[in-house]
Amino acid sequence: MASERKATADPARSLALLWRTREPTSRSAGPALSVDRIVRAAIDIADAEGLDALTMRRVGEALGVGTMSVYTYVPGKAELVAVMIDTAYGEMPRPTVEGDWRTRLERIARDNLALYQRHPWMLRAETTRPVLGPHLMAKYDYELRAIVDIGLTDVEVDAVLTLVLGHVKSAARAASEVVDLERETGMTDGQWWQSHAPWLETFMTADAYPTASRVGTAAGQQHGAAYGPEYAFEFGLQRVLDGIAVVVAERAASR
């Protein structure tokens, strides 16, 4: 997201937009324009065409208004993307999940994965500097409450959540890249590997590369390709939770 990062959102304007502290009143004769309508149209564009296709002019066209009308409500693309992210966070369910901390963390992980699958542009738009909007705050509070009682310090609880969400984002990004490659090349991963099979059979022999040949063949047969996004997510999530369980057990034993 190089272009978006260069156009850094102005903090004051961004926060005013996120929290809706002030918003112009539409004077047009047509359907009332608002920040919410603009953001919804922008999300639809990004969902369908990707973040690169999103411009203030494109949003105006989608709403049937001039570009300057959009600027009346949203000062720029960077601020618009920030509100889009926060709005997407607001879509996430926040149910009361029964069960132990592991069950709760699994639910959090899967809900975040589903969000990235609905809005893959978020994988580019999010940075380590969060959008400080109401939906992000509610999401963060909800997710912390799901694990705050596991016997770790507040700093460790925050680190646990960061670790799990980091795995989710990494897995979602890898899965998105698979989809993007298929769309760009017109070939599935399976088809791509099949087209390279003669080369592999010639050069990557069991005699020359015994371990790679054995393991690669097993993985390929399992996934139908060299990489299985769903398997990678599930395997990685369980290993992350296993590691957290060790820390939780250690803290319980030391009390």
Side-chain angles (χ1 to χ4, degrees):
M1 189 192 159
S3 60
E4 288 80 6
R5 286 179 180 170
K6 289 177 182 177
T8 304
D10 176 84
R13 295 192 300 181
S14 183
L15 288 170
L17 204 59
L18 286 163
W19 292 89
R20 305 294 199 276
T21 60
R22 58 180 181 271
E23 182 172 350
T25 301
S26 176
R27 299 187 181 88
S28 65
L33 199 58
S34 67
V35 172
D36 288 343
R37 283 194 66 214
I38 290 169
V39 170
R40 188 69 260 168
I43 290 175
D44 289 343
I45 292 168
D47 284 348
E49 304 173 42
L51 206 57
D52 289 339
L54 179 65
T55 63
M56 303 297 271
R57 179 188 297 275
R58 182 76 178 79
V59 173
E61 291 172 352
L63 292 170
V65 300
T67 304
M68 294 312 297
S69 294
V70 178
Y71 276 112
T72 301
Y73 291 82
V74 181
K77 182 177 178 180
E79 289 81 8
L80 175 58
V81 171
V83 184
M84 289 165 60
I85 294 171
D86 193 64
T87 301
Y89 289 152
E91 299 174 3
M92 297 186 68
R94 300 190 186 102
T96 300
V97 180
E98 302 297 332
D100 60 11
W101 64 264
R102 188 166 183 138
T103 300
R104 283 173 264 155
L105 266 181
E106 282 197 33
R107 174 60 189 264
I108 287 170
R110 298 187 199 289
D111 285 346
N112 276 274
L113 179 65
L115 181 68
Y116 287 130
Q117 290 171 336
R118 287 196 305 274
H119 305 302
W121 53 268
M122 293 183 69
L123 295 165
R124 290 184 58 199
E126 288 181 326
T127 71
T128 55
R129 297 175 181 176
V131 294
L132 302 177
H135 295 304
L136 169 67
M137 297 301 185
K139 173 182 183 290
Y140 182 54
D141 188 74
Y142 164 76
E143 292 171 343
L144 288 176
R145 283 188 283 111
I147 55 173
V148 75
D149 62 350
I150 64 178
L152 303 181
T153 67
D154 287 350
V155 173
E156 289 170 336
V157 167
D158 177 77
V160 163
L161 182 59
T162 300
L163 177 63
V164 171
L165 296 186
H167 167 67
V168 173
K169 190 170 186 177
S170 176
R173 181 177 287 114
S176 179
E177 288 173 356
V178 170
V179 173
D180 290 343
L181 274 174
E182 289 184 0
R183 182 179 63 251
E184 292 166 6
T185 65
M187 300 175 68
T188 66
D189 258 14
Q191 291 170 332
W192 187 88
W193 280 101
Q194 187 175 11
S195 70
H196 287 71
W199 182 89
L200 289 172
E201 291 171 359
T202 300
F203 297 103
M204 192 174 173
T205 64
D207 290 338
Y209 307 101
T211 306
S213 178
R214 187 187 77 248
V215 174
T217 298
Q221 291 174 345
Q222 172 74 25
H223 308 312
Y227 177 75
E230 292 182 5
Y231 180 88
F233 170 75
E234 295 294 342
F235 182 85
L237 176 60
Q238 297 309 317
R239 301 299 75 77
V240 168
L241 297 177
D242 288 346
I244 295 168
V246 171
V247 179
V248 172
E250 288 176 349
R251 296 292 183 276
S254 65
R255 289 198 295 270

